[in-house]
Amino acid sequence: MSRQNSFSFTGSVSEVRHGDDAKYGGPSTMSEYVSKQRRKSSDPGRDISFQVLEKFSLVTKFARETTSSLFRENHSSGSHAYGRQKQEYVLDNKASDKYADQLITPDDASLPSDSVESDELLLVWGKKRGNPLSVEEWRSFLDPEGRIMDSKALRKKIFYGGVDHVLRKEVWKFLLGYHEYDSTQAEREYLAAMKREEYEAIKSQWKSISTTQAKRFTKFRERKGLIDKDVVRTDRSVPYYEGDDNPNVVVLRDILVTYSFYNFDLGYCQGMSDFLAPILYVMEDESEAFWCFASLMERLGGNFNRDQNGMHAQLLGLSKLVELLDPSLHNYFRQNDCLNYFFCFRWVLIQFKREFSFDQIMLLWEVLWTHYFSEHFHLYLCVGILKRYRLRIIGEGMDFDTLLKFINELSGQINIDRAIQDAEALCSIAGEAGADCIPPGTPPSMPIETDGGLYVQEDDVL
């Protein structure tokens, strides 16, 4: 992860958003957590816990081998199904409350001692990942006039396999809400022509601002300046955006400035360019990329509100999900002043953009955009990754600062297929109880229309 293209979380979380007055709204800043952790003394009971864990590992090994044997028998008889009556994944270890309620994989009897994940208890896996949606399969979903006949089946196919890259330009428009699933090909072509004219009209508004007018238009100057700084740091290692005087970087800038006029209440915030860059890369069309991005921001705009209510709601939902699916890990976070889950802030804010490669993030996002299991599937991804490293987190006694550093260093090391499978298993396990953990209206839910606009800001309206 390049230095200039990464968020800094060593200070207050308010640094994620531009502006000196942007606050996360929580009772403490990162620096306060630093001082808290340094004042903590060592835990004399920690050695005892490890002794208990060492003895208890024999039970764990036996359970793991037994479950593996059962899994192989079930698999050979064709009964491999995720979340099968929940008997495969719960290892209830009453000997130690600290390490209770952990999920395991039936097929993982041992891990290499030098593996970065050697200290984890693996989850039961969700359904095996399939092949991407092919051109032939895509055509089979369309009726003679171009309507999608079974949107749920299509979303299921995409969830389990993604989309062949040659189809992304067409399919993403449906996933992002730019096109309706029941629209005809003729209707979509007409819409594209109308939206292109509308985009050019919005773009002309800021293009026509003279230098003299700009001197008296502080908000425009500030936003455009922030965009100019961010676009030259966004995905520059990707060939589509690399090099000096790259015209695609100019288009990226123009779309973001135009969006700041289209949705003036929300404007521009750091992180938006991260969402737009893959969309523009796929669409290769300025107008279509703009409207797909605008549709996505209708759902994720709450991530960038000045009061950060959208982020608060998601981190609260994540906290409740961990408490539901791994109470002992949640209690560990409670004991170490980590219950605000700020260490997952970057994961949630830009939906893992910095954790995976450019190709991988396109796959992950199209999986998330299907909303097949849950519109908050990204929160289950967070839980799954935390559970994968739970023994290392607890075993090394990570405090907030150490945990934050560890989470950030996972960038590029997470197995994306396994992460999706784990999240699927957790989503199935949680069921309705999991859905109830997430406050209504939490992004990426569609925002609630109000007279004050979709995105309430504290800025003075010009």
Side-chain angles (χ1 to χ4, degrees):
M1 185 171 59
S2 61
R3 178 187 302 272
Q4 69 270 23
N5 201 25
S6 62
F7 288 130
S8 172
F9 290 89
T10 56
S12 170
V13 177
S14 62
E15 293 175 3
V16 175
R17 179 184 173 98
H18 292 295
D20 295 333
D21 59 340
K23 301 294 183 184
Y24 187 87
S28 303
T29 63
M30 298 295 185
S31 58
E32 290 173 340
Y33 277 97
V34 173
S35 60
K36 281 185 180 182
Q37 305 309 320
R38 288 174 179 169
R39 290 197 298 267
K40 287 186 178 238
S41 59
S42 60
D43 183 2
R46 185 175 171 187
D47 293 337
I48 298 176
S49 296
F50 279 112
Q51 292 172 14
V52 173
L53 182 60
E54 183 179 2
K55 295 178 182 179
F56 152 77
S57 64
L58 296 175
V59 180
T60 303
K61 181 178 180 181
F62 173 77
R64 191 178 295 168
E65 292 173 349
T66 303
T67 312
S68 178
S69 176
L70 290 173
F71 173 75
R72 284 192 293 268
E73 292 175 4
N74 290 338
H75 182 74
S76 62
S77 62
S79 60
H80 177 58
Y82 70 90
R84 191 172 180 80
Q85 298 180 9
K86 302 184 181 180
Q87 82 274 21
E88 295 178 8
Y89 54 80
V90 176
L91 180 60
D92 189 11
N93 299 308
K94 302 301 183 181
S96 173
D97 291 338
K98 196 172 184 181
Y99 293 91
D101 304 319
Q102 302 177 45
L103 303 182
I104 63 170
T105 39
D107 57 349
D108 186 77
S110 63
L111 286 170
S113 59
D114 59 346
S115 170
V116 71
E117 300 174 355
S118 60
D119 55 359
E120 67 189 14
L121 287 183
L122 303 179
L123 303 174
V124 60
W125 288 41
K127 185 177 177 181
K128 184 179 179 180
R129 306 292 298 161
N131 296 322
L133 176 72
S134 66
V135 174
E136 294 75 16
E137 289 173 313
W138 168 244
R139 289 172 180 166
S140 72
F141 282 103
L142 303 176
D143 71 7
E145 293 184 324
R147 299 182 186 88
I148 294 176
M149 297 180 288
D150 190 342
S151 62
K152 184 175 181 180
L154 173 63
R155 291 185 292 112
K156 179 180 180 180
K157 171 61 184 177
I158 296 172
F159 178 88
Y160 283 112
V163 180
D164 191 302
H165 188 69
V166 298
L167 287 172
R168 280 179 170 146
K169 179 179 175 65
E170 191 170 359
V171 176
W172 277 23
K173 295 173 188 176
F174 292 93
L175 295 178
L176 289 168
Y178 176 54
H179 289 322
E180 298 292 336
Y181 286 104
D182 60 354
S183 62
T184 66
Q185 181 64 34
E187 290 170 340
R188 295 194 289 271
E189 291 175 358
Y190 176 75
L191 175 68
M194 296 295 293
K195 286 296 187 180
R196 192 175 305 279
E197 291 182 8
E198 185 178 355
Y199 172 74
E200 292 299 332
I202 301 170
K203 183 178 178 180
S204 67
Q205 294 176 10
W206 66 268
K207 280 287 190 179
S208 63
I209 295 176
S210 65
T211 304
T212 303
Q213 183 183 2
K215 291 179 180 179
R216 296 164 176 80
F217 200 165
T218 303
K219 187 63 66 177
F220 169 70
R221 290 199 321 273
E222 290 177 348
R223 289 179 174 176
K224 187 174 181 298
L226 295 176
I227 292 170
D228 286 339
K229 291 177 181 178
D230 280 353
V231 295
V232 297
R233 302 181 296 187
T234 303
D235 292 321
R236 296 309 297 274
S237 62
V238 177
Y240 190 77
Y241 294 108
E242 69 182 0
D244 298 331
D245 302 320
N246 188 318
N248 297 320
V249 176
V250 176
V251 175
L252 191 71
R253 188 276 311 270
D254 287 356
I255 293 175
L256 291 170
V257 177
T258 304
Y259 182 77
S260 73
F261 264 67
Y262 171 74
N263 190 346
F264 201 84
D265 286 342
L266 183 60
Y268 174 78
C269 307
Q270 186 182 22
M272 288 185 176
S273 61
D274 285 281
F275 282 115
L276 176 59
I279 294 176
L280 176 59
Y281 170 77
V282 168
M283 297 301 156
E284 295 185 297
D285 180 274
E286 187 171 344
S287 172
E288 291 181 341
F290 172 85
W291 290 113
C292 286
F293 173 74
S295 295
L296 180 61
M297 286 299 103
E298 288 298 297
R299 291 185 172 275
L300 292 177
N303 283 16
F304 304 101
N305 278 350
R306 186 172 297 279
D307 59 15
Q308 294 189 337
N309 280 339
M311 289 299 300
H312 275 299
Q314 289 175 89
L315 294 177
L316 174 61
L318 174 58
S319 173
K320 297 295 185 183
L321 285 175
V322 175
E323 185 176 16
L324 172 69
L325 294 164
D326 196 333
S328 59
L329 181 60
H330 183 78
N331 288 336
Y332 177 83
F333 290 150
R334 185 199 310 277
Q335 294 163 8
N336 289 271
D337 294 327
C338 299
L339 272 189
N340 54 26
Y341 285 79
F342 279 0
F343 47 86
C344 295
F345 194 94
R346 185 176 72 185
W347 288 358
V348 174
L349 180 71
I350 51 177
Q351 300 210 321
F352 298 94
K353 174 68 186 299
R354 305 289 171 83
E355 319 314 317
F356 298 102
S357 68
F358 196 78
D359 289 337
Q360 289 175 326
I361 205 62
M362 290 190 290
L363 168 63
L364 177 60
W365 281 0
E366 61 200 14
V367 167
L368 296 180
W369 295 340
T370 63
H371 296 165
Y372 181 67
F373 270 88
S374 168
E375 63 183 343
H376 301 105
F377 194 74
H378 66 297
L379 298 182
Y380 291 94
L381 275 169
C382 294
V383 179
I385 296 170
L386 291 174
K387 287 185 71 64
R388 284 231 165 231
Y389 294 96
R390 68 184 313 283
L391 286 186
R392 186 162 178 181
I393 292 170
I394 297 175
E396 295 182 8
M398 294 185 185
D399 59 13
F400 182 84
D401 290 337
T402 308
L403 179 59
L404 182 62
K405 181 176 182 293
F406 174 73
I407 293 296
N408 286 340
E409 289 175 349
L410 288 179
S411 176
Q413 300 185 47
I414 303 171
N415 184 305
I416 187 170
D417 288 339
R418 193 165 59 185
I420 295 172
Q421 288 175 305
D422 290 347
E424 178 194 347
L426 290 168
C427 193
S428 177
I429 292 166
E432 291 297 324
D436 293 340
C437 289
I438 303 171
T442 298
S445 302
M446 290 298 288
I448 300 173
E449 296 272 3
T450 64
D451 292 339
L454 294 177
Y455 309 100
V456 179
Q457 300 273 329
E458 296 176 1
D459 306 29
D460 294 331
V461 179
L462 298 177

